[in-house]
Amino acid sequence: MDDIDYLDELDKKYYKIRDVSALLDVAPSTLRYWESEFPEIQPRRSNSNQRYYRPEDIKVLRMIHYLVKVKGLRIEAAKEELSKNRTNVSRRLEVIELLTDTRDELQEILSALNKRR
C-alpha cells in the first residue's frame, strides 16, 4: 500500500505537503487554503519555509476533507461543525474509514475467489 492509511499508520513525526496532498487527494494549494481558514492547522516550518505536518495536523485535515469534500459543506459550515461537534465528526470519519477498508478487503477476497473458479 503506497498511501498512508490513517493516524495509526502514520509512523513519521512530520510529513511534507506533497505527502499530505497525495494522502488526501487534494492539491497543495487546497491544504494551504485550509491552513489559512482553520487555525487548528499549524504545520511546522523549516528554515526554508517548507511545511511539515504532524500526524495530529493530518487528523484534522482528514476531518476537514470529510466535511468539505465528502459531505459537501462550505468552509464556514465545516468550521462550525468542527468547533461544535469535533468528537462526533472524528468518530464518523473513523467508522466510514473502517467500513471502507472492510469493503475493500471483502472485494479482494471475492475477486480472489472468482479467480479460483
Side-chain angles (χ1 to χ4, degrees):
M1 183 181 303
D2 292 336
D3 285 344
I4 309 160
D5 242 0
Y6 192 60
L7 192 60
D8 296 337
E9 296 184 21
L10 297 176
D11 54 357
K12 295 192 284 186
K13 281 181 129 177
Y14 299 101
Y15 293 86
K16 291 183 178 182
I17 194 167
R18 69 179 139 92
D19 299 327
V20 179
S21 172
L23 168 68
L24 297 175
D25 195 25
V26 296
S29 59
T30 301
L31 295 176
R32 289 189 292 271
Y33 174 69
W34 288 349
E35 182 183 326
S36 71
E37 290 294 320
F38 295 89
E40 54 264 56
I41 304 169
Q42 295 184 355
R44 307 267 190 245
R45 299 227 183 205
S46 69
N47 290 338
S48 61
N49 214 23
Q50 171 75 39
R51 288 171 170 80
Y52 287 98
Y53 294 90
R54 297 169 296 147
E56 298 81 23
D57 296 323
I58 296 171
K59 184 176 181 180
V60 175
L61 286 166
R62 289 178 82 88
M63 287 189 277
I64 294 167
H65 180 271
Y66 167 71
L67 292 170
V68 174
K69 297 291 185 180
V70 177
K71 285 188 71 178
L73 296 181
R74 294 179 185 261
I75 293 293
E76 291 304 317
K79 285 181 190 179
E80 186 175 333
E81 187 75 17
L82 275 179
S83 69
K84 290 184 177 179
N85 213 0
R86 183 187 207 105
T87 302
N88 192 25
V89 171
S90 179
R91 285 184 185 150
R92 276 187 277 157
L93 180 59
E94 287 175 24
V95 169
I96 288 169
E97 289 179 344
L98 178 63
L99 289 171
T100 301
D101 290 345
T102 303
R103 182 196 62 208
D104 292 345
E105 287 177 28
L106 289 172
Q107 286 177 333
E108 286 178 25
I109 292 169
L110 182 60
S111 177
L113 288 172
N114 285 334
K115 286 180 183 177
R116 295 190 78 184
R117 290 185 184 184

